[in-house]
Amino acid sequence: MAKEPVRVLVTGAAGQIGYALVPMIARGIMLGADQPVILHMLDIPPAAEALNGVKMELIDAAFPLLKGVVATTDVVEGCAGVNIAVMVGGFPRKEGMERKDVMSKNVSIYKSQASALEKHAAANCKVLVVANPANTNALILKEFAPSIPEKNITCLTRLDHNRALGQISERLNVQVSDVKNAIIWGNHSSSQYPDVNHATVKTPAGEKPVRELVANDEWLNGEFIATVQQRGAAIIKARKLSSALSAASSACDHIRDWVLGTPEGTWVSMGVYSDGSYNVPAGLIYSFPVTCVSGEWKIVQGLHIDEFSRKKLDATAEELTEEKALAYSCIS
């Protein structure tokens, strides 16, 4: 029997990431090749014409799984009945702007979208925040949508996770699908900590630790971390535009694993509401290693954290605590 369509909201849908993301969703990359979808695309009024152009292209592509398209600048219409919300729209930092100005703009955006989701989205709607500052935007959304369970509000660090897997696969000249269990701890910013202490690679002789195979702690503790942290800036330098294709693909990975489950023995990184695990302050949206079963994520427990890692986990938590204070100071 055919499945009921799932309604997926993409905000900022006329932008770069949105344009890369909506065909992936329509093709079944996010929710599976047998799951029909209805796309809700929301953007700001100045982008209405471009948004309509994206809708035209979705119709022209004749995606078999796409059962409807809502393209709107009205937040209530955009949020009505949605089961999954991917929040790509936000206010980007422009040259000469103070962090507080950017935070203030994003607080007002996420405040209004939070109340619309709370009032109009389907029960148990899953939310993924992509727009930066992603962790703190997700926290603001949680603050202003108290009836949405905190476990349903997440932010994207899967892009950083995938970047870490990609760097290891390039370094060792192995398939990226054979590398697993890297971890991104903390903030989706340059303070994040890409950790491969528990990561493994599938080899003909069985699974081997990444650290053993790379056999170069200086690279793993230095250049590798910096490359993953600064990858977004490197892409802007190369393309003169920010990462869109990889961000859209990672958003699909995040939702797919959350909804359909992570493979046995594999964890992924998600920005989730901290419960105090690994001595991370509770009440932050912080990236942890998680496994997902039946639509629920769970933080992987009991991993050994060495002294080098502890300092990195604490530094990124400190940045998030400062961001939280800054965001709360903007709430009027």
Side-chain angles (χ1 to χ4, degrees):
M1 202 172 108
K3 292 182 174 180
E4 279 295 301
V6 169
R7 291 182 180 268
V8 182
L9 166 66
V10 177
T11 72
Q16 267 215 100
I17 296 173
Y19 187 71
L21 179 58
V22 291
M24 293 182 188
I25 299 169
R27 202 172 270 290
I29 291 168
M30 180 180 276
L31 293 169
D34 63 343
Q35 178 58 65
V37 292
I38 296 170
L39 267 170
H40 286 228
M41 302 193 299
L42 177 68
D43 217 313
I44 54 175
E49 200 175 347
L51 188 65
N52 195 44
V54 178
K55 180 178 178 177
M56 288 157 69
E57 285 204 72
L58 285 168
I59 292 164
D60 294 350
F63 294 109
L65 289 171
L66 188 59
K67 301 303 179 189
V69 182
V70 176
T72 184
T73 59
D74 179 83
V75 68
V76 171
E77 187 185 5
C79 293
V82 298
N83 309 100
I84 290 162
V86 185
M87 318 301 281
V88 180
F91 192 89
R93 188 170 183 173
K94 294 176 180 166
E95 214 174 326
M97 280 186 83
E98 293 295 323
R99 278 178 75 229
K100 181 154 186 179
D101 299 335
V102 185
M103 193 68 83
S104 174
K105 297 270 189 198
N106 280 298
V107 164
S108 64
I109 291 168
Y110 277 83
K111 197 172 163 181
S112 78
Q113 292 185 345
S115 58
L117 279 171
E118 186 171 50
K119 290 191 186 89
H120 305 288
N124 208 29
C125 175
K126 287 178 160 56
V127 182
L128 167 61
V129 177
V130 176
N132 288 321
N135 301 58
T136 301
N137 283 344
L139 196 61
I140 294 299
L141 196 141
K142 181 204 159 290
E143 198 64 33
F144 287 103
S147 73
I148 298 178
E150 61 198 30
K151 67 182 173 55
N152 283 22
I153 296 173
T154 65
C155 82
L156 186 71
T157 57
R158 183 61 174 270
L159 176 54
D160 310 297
H161 179 98
N162 288 349
R163 284 168 172 165
L165 299 180
Q167 288 303 304
I168 296 300
S169 108
E170 291 282 297
R171 177 80 181 192
L172 295 173
N173 196 22
V174 297
Q175 295 297 315
V176 74
S177 53
D178 289 337
V179 187
K180 69 174 190 180
N181 294 355
I183 302 168
I184 303 297
W185 298 99
N187 199 0
H188 174 62
S189 75
S190 58
S191 80
Q192 64 175 259
Y193 172 43
D195 174 5
V196 293
N197 288 327
H198 311 278
T200 60
V201 177
K202 193 162 90 182
T203 75
E207 286 188 356
K208 300 279 187 194
V210 162
R211 217 167 252 287
E212 183 187 305
L213 292 174
V214 170
N216 185 334
D217 284 353
E218 191 186 343
W219 182 79
L220 282 173
N221 292 345
E223 191 186 327
F224 163 74
I225 290 174
T227 299
V228 177
Q229 288 173 333
Q230 304 293 339
R231 189 68 161 183
I235 287 166
I236 289 173
K237 193 173 176 213
R239 290 189 72 228
K240 313 295 179 265
L241 294 163
S242 58
S243 335
L245 176 162
S246 53
S249 181
S250 303
C252 288
D253 291 344
H254 176 113
I255 296 287
R256 186 186 63 244
D257 286 343
W258 189 4
V259 172
L260 301 177
T262 45
E264 188 70 36
T266 299
W267 63 65
V268 294
S269 301
M270 284 171 65
V272 298
Y273 197 65
S274 170
D275 60 359
S277 292
Y278 296 100
N279 293 325
V280 169
L284 297 175
I285 300 266
Y286 188 99
S287 182
F288 287 96
V290 302
T291 53
C292 305
V293 178
S294 307
E296 304 278 330
W297 56 263
K298 196 169 158 197
I299 296 170
V300 176
Q301 297 293 342
L303 298 173
H304 173 67
I305 306 295
D306 62 19
E307 194 184 342
F308 177 86
S309 300
R310 182 73 259 163
K311 286 181 179 152
K312 298 280 190 192
L313 264 74
D314 292 345
T316 189
E318 205 172 300
E319 182 183 64
L320 280 168
T321 303
E322 285 167 17
E323 268 188 28
K324 178 180 179 177
L326 183 64
Y328 281 43
S329 75
C330 299
I331 295 171
S332 48

